[in-house]
Amino acid sequence: MAEHWVSTSTPENNKYSVLAEAKSRNMKIKFDVLYRAKSKKQTEIDEEIGEREGYYIRKHKPPLNYQIP
């Protein structure tokens, strides 16, 4: 989540450019935690979060996600 927030200040792609523009216009930007990893090892956490992120992107189809895993 922190990586997403930082990317709104230093956008590297269109998704974050849109969010940075909204932020500069004093629009509220909010990220919600939809899932917390249960694994203990970092490699397992990365895999677990990646799987859940793909699941929620497919489920909710957020408009700024141009790539559907």
Side-chain angles (χ1 to χ4, degrees), residues 34-52:
L34 299 177
Y35 182 81
R36 292 187 191 272
K38 300 189 180 32
S39 300
K40 300 289 185 209
K41 296 179 183 176
Q42 189 61 48
T43 54
E44 292 174 1
I45 290 171
D46 293 344
E47 185 177 327
E48 186 179 341
I49 293 294
E51 289 174 6
R52 294 282 47 177

Side-chain angles (χ1 to χ4, degrees), residues 3-66:
E3 290 175 14
H4 290 302
W5 186 252
V6 168
S7 294
T8 65
S9 298
T10 55
E12 294 182 15
N13 61 42
N14 186 54
K15 168 174 48 180
Y16 293 113
S17 294
V18 170
L19 292 173
E21 176 70 22
K23 197 173 168 183
S24 74
R25 293 178 184 216
N26 295 320
M27 295 179 177
K28 292 181 181 178
I29 305 295
K30 179 180 164 187
F31 295 98
D32 290 325
V33 175
L34 299 177
Y35 182 81
R36 292 187 191 272
K38 300 189 180 32
S39 300
K40 300 289 185 209
K41 296 179 183 176
Q42 189 61 48
T43 54
E44 292 174 1
I45 290 171
D46 293 344
E47 185 177 327
E48 186 179 341
I49 293 294
E51 289 174 6
R52 294 282 47 177
E53 183 177 26
Y55 167 79
Y56 282 113
I57 288 170
R58 289 187 299 279
K59 180 178 179 182
H60 297 291
K61 296 181 178 67
L64 294 178
N65 277 90
Y66 50 86

